[in-house]
Amino acid sequence: MQKTESYPRKSNQNLALRLDGHDNDVRTGMGVLRNEWTIEAWIKGDDRIWKEYEAIFGGGEYSDLNSCDNMPLVVKNGYLHSNGAGIIAPEKLDDNWHHVAASCNGMSTFLYLDGKEVARKDTVVAILPGAIGLNEKKQSFGGLIDEVRIWSKAVSINVIKKWKNKSVERSHPQFSTLVGYYTFDDFKDVVSVNWVGKGHLSYHLRNGRSDYYGELPMAYTVENTNVSFQNFDKKQQLFNAVVVQNEWDLEQGTVDGQLLKLRIVVQGDQKALSLDEINLDLTQNSSLKDFNEIKLFIRDSILNRILNSLFLMVHSISKEDDF
């Protein structure tokens, strides 16, 4: 069985994540990044009164490890700060929208604010970006966060500056090193899609509370008022496509067993793309005798709005089996 899975499109709707600064627990589930990395986001505080620490990127509760920094990008008493590197911006943040970033190139760690370098130190720090807007409960961020990007390599300040005011596209020079991209435009209740998620370790955001049985509201999305940022608004194009293999083996005789998923992510609403053909290469299979048929399932109506037409063509080449 072949299953094609569609997630909500990254459209012109521009939403930001609203965090209350009290109880929100939004997790990426991402592990430690070592040697080289870059993290960036747009943020807007609730006001100009900041707590001692408000995490933009944190490890999340119970993430205190000696081997890495679980507070790689935070606001410390109103100043942008990278805890492990021990660097801090010289000017205090106000309550307007700001682009913030930290990066390590394997030799030095840098702090960037609104496309400008504001601090650096010749040190290499491993980081744990396991949560957005939270480390420990008392260090939660109050305000708006949007366009969260996590890279497994250092991104130069020139590239950060060029792309900070617009959506990431496949033409980005370091697209292949993008391991986390959260726009929140698809955010629904308890999950937000990582647009570059791969396989089973996709690192989709999980929305929750620090107090599991508490009554405070979870994080939610609101309209983004950031006039400096422009969502993708061009001819529809492919952003990412990933094959997700089935996590479990299928027993002999299984009916309607899922073999794999095809996750397709596109950008834009203008001149919709058309998926005309899917090729399944079965030449590496030792035997096809157990296969009776292959079916294609569309997850829901969202895909119908993205694709104009869909045809499944199965190409099997085997000397001993007819399919």
Side-chain angles (χ1 to χ4, degrees), residues 166-229:
K166 59 183 179 181
S167 303
V168 174
E169 301 175 37
R170 291 183 66 87
S171 59
H172 191 288
Q174 293 189 221
F175 185 83
S176 63
T177 70
L178 184 62
V179 294
Y181 184 36
Y182 309 99
T183 70
F184 308 111
D185 297 340
D186 65 293
F187 195 88
K188 288 186 177 181
D189 299 328
V190 296
V191 68
S192 186
V193 172
N194 175 13
W195 291 96
V196 291
K198 297 178 176 64
H200 301 293
L201 295 177
S202 52
Y203 304 120
H204 300 318
L205 284 186
R206 300 294 177 180
N207 190 18
R209 304 179 182 89
S210 296
D211 183 358
Y212 185 81
Y213 296 102
E215 298 181 355
L216 291 176
M218 293 191 295
Y220 58 92
T221 53
V222 297
E223 182 180 355
N224 190 328
T225 58
N226 182 7
V227 296
S228 297
F229 183 82

Side-chain angles (χ1 to χ4, degrees), residues 66-272:
N66 293 329
S67 59
C68 65
D69 180 14
N70 64 348
M71 296 182 67
L73 192 58
V74 302
V75 180
K76 180 181 180 181
N77 294 316
Y79 296 87
L80 191 65
H81 174 60
S82 182
N83 193 56
I87 50 179
I88 192 166
E91 295 184 8
K92 195 171 186 177
L93 292 170
D94 53 28
D95 56 353
N96 294 316
W97 279 103
H98 292 281
H99 183 268
V100 297
S103 181
C104 181
N105 63 8
M107 297 179 291
S108 302
T109 303
F110 304 84
L111 200 60
Y112 303 120
L113 177 60
D114 295 325
K116 298 179 180 178
E117 180 186 316
V118 292
R120 72 157 70 186
K121 189 174 183 180
D122 292 334
T123 186
V124 178
V125 181
I127 65 169
L128 179 60
I132 305 298
L134 175 81
N135 189 46
E136 296 292 334
K137 182 177 180 180
K138 63 182 180 181
Q139 298 158 341
S140 56
F141 181 88
L144 303 177
I145 296 181
D146 199 10
E147 279 294 310
V148 170
R149 305 168 184 180
I150 303 174
W151 312 80
S152 61
K153 293 291 184 181
V155 180
S156 71
I157 182 56
N158 290 334
V159 174
I160 289 176
K161 186 175 182 179
K162 180 179 179 180
W163 286 87
K164 69 182 181 68
N165 296 329
K166 59 183 179 181
S167 303
V168 174
E169 301 175 37
R170 291 183 66 87
S171 59
H172 191 288
Q174 293 189 221
F175 185 83
S176 63
T177 70
L178 184 62
V179 294
Y181 184 36
Y182 309 99
T183 70
F184 308 111
D185 297 340
D186 65 293
F187 195 88
K188 288 186 177 181
D189 299 328
V190 296
V191 68
S192 186
V193 172
N194 175 13
W195 291 96
V196 291
K198 297 178 176 64
H200 301 293
L201 295 177
S202 52
Y203 304 120
H204 300 318
L205 284 186
R206 300 294 177 180
N207 190 18
R209 304 179 182 89
S210 296
D211 183 358
Y212 185 81
Y213 296 102
E215 298 181 355
L216 291 176
M218 293 191 295
Y220 58 92
T221 53
V222 297
E223 182 180 355
N224 190 328
T225 58
N226 182 7
V227 296
S228 297
F229 183 82
Q230 177 62 52
N231 247 9
F232 183 89
D233 187 20
K234 295 184 287 187
K235 179 180 177 180
Q236 192 173 85
Q237 65 181 20
L238 177 68
F239 180 81
N240 194 31
V242 178
V243 174
V244 183
Q245 302 289 341
N246 191 29
E247 189 173 0
W248 307 104
D249 293 334
L250 297 179
E251 296 181 1
Q252 189 173 12
T254 296
V255 177
D256 288 342
Q258 178 182 296
L259 290 180
L260 53 86
K261 299 177 185 178
L262 178 61
R263 182 186 301 135
I264 302 173
V265 181
V266 298
Q267 291 175 296
D269 295 311
Q270 303 175 22
K271 299 181 179 179

Side-chain angles (χ1 to χ4, degrees), residues 10-27:
K10 188 179 186 310
S11 67
N12 293 329
Q13 183 184 34
N14 191 8
L15 301 177
L17 187 66
R18 177 72 175 88
L19 299 159
D20 64 11
H22 298 294
D23 195 50
N24 300 141
D25 188 358
V26 181
R27 299 296 185 101

